[in-house]
Amino acid sequence: MKIYTVNQTEICIEGITRTTYGLTGQTVEIRDISPERQRVEALAEQCNRLDVSECHLCDIVEDFYGLPL
């Protein structure tokens, strides 16, 4: 089973600092998926429950933008 966790990044856009969240796996890290921690936590839980391979994670994150969790 893969274990995905939520990562946190501070980004600065036009002088305004924002906190965004992403996913970290064993060998892959995707930052800045969403500013909503709960949505990224739900995505991580779903990926862990379904034992998603890291090679599919980019596609899943891309699909995430169009799906409510």
Side-chain angles (χ1 to χ4, degrees):
M1 173 184 251
K2 302 289 182 198
I3 302 296
Y4 295 100
T5 58
V6 175
N7 63 51
Q8 180 177 320
T9 304
E10 302 292 325
I11 60 171
C12 185
I13 300 173
E14 297 180 4
I16 300 171
T17 301
R18 304 252 188 232
T19 301
T20 62
Y21 303 93
L23 293 177
T24 301
Q26 292 177 336
T27 63
V28 66
E29 181 174 64
I30 301 175
R31 295 183 175 272
D32 193 20
I33 294 173
S34 174
E36 299 174 41
R37 183 179 182 94
Q38 289 179 327
R39 291 194 71 209
V40 178
E41 286 174 345
L43 180 61
E45 289 173 13
Q46 195 169 41
C47 287
N48 288 328
R49 186 177 70 251
L50 297 173
D51 196 25
V52 170
S53 173
E54 290 182 336
C55 71
H56 299 296
L57 192 59
C58 287
D59 291 329
I60 289 169
V61 169
E62 185 176 301
D63 292 343
F64 164 81
Y65 289 109
L67 298 174
L69 287 177

